[in-house]
Amino acid sequence: MYKIMTSDEAIGLIKDGDVICLNSFVGIENPVELHEAIYRRYKASASPKNLTIVSSAGFGVWDENRNAESYIREGAVDKLICGHFGAMLSTKKLVLEDRFEAYNLPLGCISHAIRAQAGGLPGALSKVGLDIFVDPNIDGPGINKISRDTSLVKHVKVDNEEFLYYKLPKINIALIKGTAADSKGNISFDDMYMSGDALSICQAVKANHGKVIVQVDRIVSTPSRPRNTIIPGCMVDAIVKVDPEPRHAAYESLTGSFEIPYSQWQDWSDMLAKRTATKPEKNPAAKIIGKRASMELKPDDIVNIGIGIPENVSHFARLSGMLDQITLTVESGGVGGFPASGKVFGAMIGAASMNDMANQFDLYDNGGLDICFMGGLEVDRFGNVNSHRGPGAFSGIGGFANITAKTHTVVFCLTFNTRGLDVSEENGVINIAKNGSIPKFVNIINSISFSAKRALVNKQRVLYVTERCVFELCSSGLRLIEVYPGVDARKDVLNLLPFDVEVKSGLL
């Protein structure tokens, strides 16, 4: 039977050595007060300590002094298993200092491994991750020198087929943010941007005889409609009521509490962008790339658009009228709306439906996407892509591996080089005033996020769209198939590559 508690009382249920699972998604839906209570208790008593934290999509609020950042920095956590670290500003720095064990697994694979525990299974099989960094035959999931746990990912064969087997430690504490608890302890998510893996997490924790702690905005006397209840009260141990922080009306567009017609998507997006952007955007190259990449869209496509440069695809799809003819999706579960960006990435404006995250990744893993647009840090001569780790920095693979694993057409959106690149477009003609000092097409990449070898086996169509040209993946590596007006194929492309590529007839 659940009890209504203060945050400090609820956190008293956590013991040293517990494995905590979080339902947050990058920077949204974090139970901030529960994390703050862990920090208060740890500062006062040095407990709970030796914690393991599991999070499919990562957690953080883009503030190194809030949420879990403080108690992680103070030493309460021994191990992190996350899909994405982007919103955890201090934590991702400490990882590279070997302060604690840290592992990066594909977001969808963590989600499916949680669901496996909920069903009484030790782990989940997946084709996702084969031949990229997480594969033990390549590098494995450990991020730093002290992360040597070989139990998390194993390369196995079943019926003579290769798989990766993802196995998480048994989770026994759930920390979840919901909207409301009714008189029976049922938890609804009416004002939340997503439900994530909330139910699977609770089922797994209960299967492991653990405790479910839920932070809600309000406690109501009228029961929620059954289909609006995400977590039944019988699975809840502690409910903590915390008044929500005030927020601008623009955020209400993300809750699904009122209908937003297609004609208003951009207006709401613009209002949100002013309040949620993580950095100012002024990138002419990104516009050129987004415009060209958007030409790959076809009516009725089911689509995923990544963050960063790929976000420009939706802008040009709207200008061309194609945006109203496709279905956009986002990893957190949204289908049929307009994905938000910045600090509220994972939310959706005008979504038609919101799935549990494990179900969304069923769609991605089984090839349910027609096309996706992803960013990239580096591309090698074989067509492999590194999207998640640069020298001395990393963000994590997130949903990238799942999204690109079987999607029919994969479009990578990246500049040809960076740091100092000066490029512009006028009347469809590209002017490269200055090349960047850091090449993006290199002989050897720092880490493999996307396997060209696996894409060829899967017969996927793969494009690499830059601000000056387009490559496609072929059996020998990259093939130059398009050079934009104003660009000299030899001087501006081929002479700057450290390796040879095939060239489409007529480009030279």
Side-chain angles (χ1 to χ4, degrees), residues 158-363:
V158 179
D159 292 338
N160 292 319
E161 278 196 76
E162 288 184 295
F163 293 90
L164 293 186
Y165 179 61
Y166 293 91
K167 181 180 178 181
L168 299 173
K170 286 190 175 183
I171 58 178
N172 64 345
I173 296 290
L175 296 185
I176 292 173
K177 173 73 172 64
T179 296
D182 68 17
S183 58
K184 295 182 179 180
N186 300 313
I187 308 297
S188 64
F189 281 57
D190 294 353
D191 295 340
M192 309 297 289
Y193 305 152
M194 59 123 206
S195 57
D197 285 322
L199 179 58
S200 290
I201 291 170
C202 294
Q203 290 172 329
V205 166
K206 293 317 244 174
N208 296 329
H209 310 291
K211 302 292 184 182
V212 172
I213 305 170
V214 184
Q215 176 183 323
V216 297
D217 296 338
R218 56 185 180 269
I219 297 174
V220 297
S221 56
T222 304
S224 172
R225 293 183 65 183
R227 286 193 178 276
N228 292 346
T229 294
I230 301 296
I231 306 171
C234 60
M235 293 186 180
V236 180
D237 294 284
I239 295 173
V240 178
K241 178 186 173 297
V242 179
D243 291 335
E245 296 180 6
R247 59 190 183 189
H248 189 270
Y251 287 84
E252 297 304 313
S253 66
L254 304 175
T255 65
S257 57
F258 59 95
E259 182 183 3
I260 300 177
Y262 167 76
S263 61
Q264 296 179 16
W265 285 0
Q266 191 62 44
D267 294 335
W268 286 101
S269 178
D270 290 344
M271 281 191 286
L272 279 165
K274 295 175 182 178
R275 294 164 178 82
T276 65
T278 56
K279 57 184 177 181
E281 181 185 343
K282 189 177 180 182
N283 188 348
K287 302 292 185 185
I288 297 168
I289 295 167
K291 182 178 181 180
R292 171 59 187 86
S294 71
M295 296 176 185
E296 297 299 321
L297 289 167
K298 302 186 301 296
D300 298 324
D301 275 349
I302 302 175
V303 186
N304 181 283
I305 297 177
I307 57 175
I309 291 178
E311 291 178 67
N312 290 275
V313 171
S314 58
H315 169 75
F316 287 99
R318 181 177 65 86
L319 293 179
S320 69
M322 184 60 72
L323 189 61
D324 196 26
Q325 301 180 58
I326 62 176
T327 299
L328 296 177
T329 70
V330 70
E331 296 93 302
S332 58
V335 177
F338 189 83
S341 60
K343 294 179 181 178
V344 288
F345 173 66
M348 217 168 192
I349 298 168
S353 67
M354 184 61 67
N355 302 322
D356 280 359
M357 200 150 60
N359 296 121
Q360 191 81 322
F361 280 99
D362 288 339
L363 173 74

Side-chain angles (χ1 to χ4, degrees), residues 52 87 104 316 397 402:
T52 294
N104 184 210
F316 287 99
I397 192 70
N402 300 86

Side-chain angles (χ1 to χ4, degrees), residues 32-61:
V32 175
E33 174 55 29
L34 298 183
H35 287 297
E36 300 288 352
I38 292 175
Y39 178 57
R40 290 194 295 270
R41 180 180 161 197
Y42 185 77
K43 284 289 285 184
S45 65
S47 179
K49 61 181 183 292
N50 306 127
L51 299 173
T52 294
I53 296 182
V54 176
S55 174
S56 301
F59 53 98
V61 291

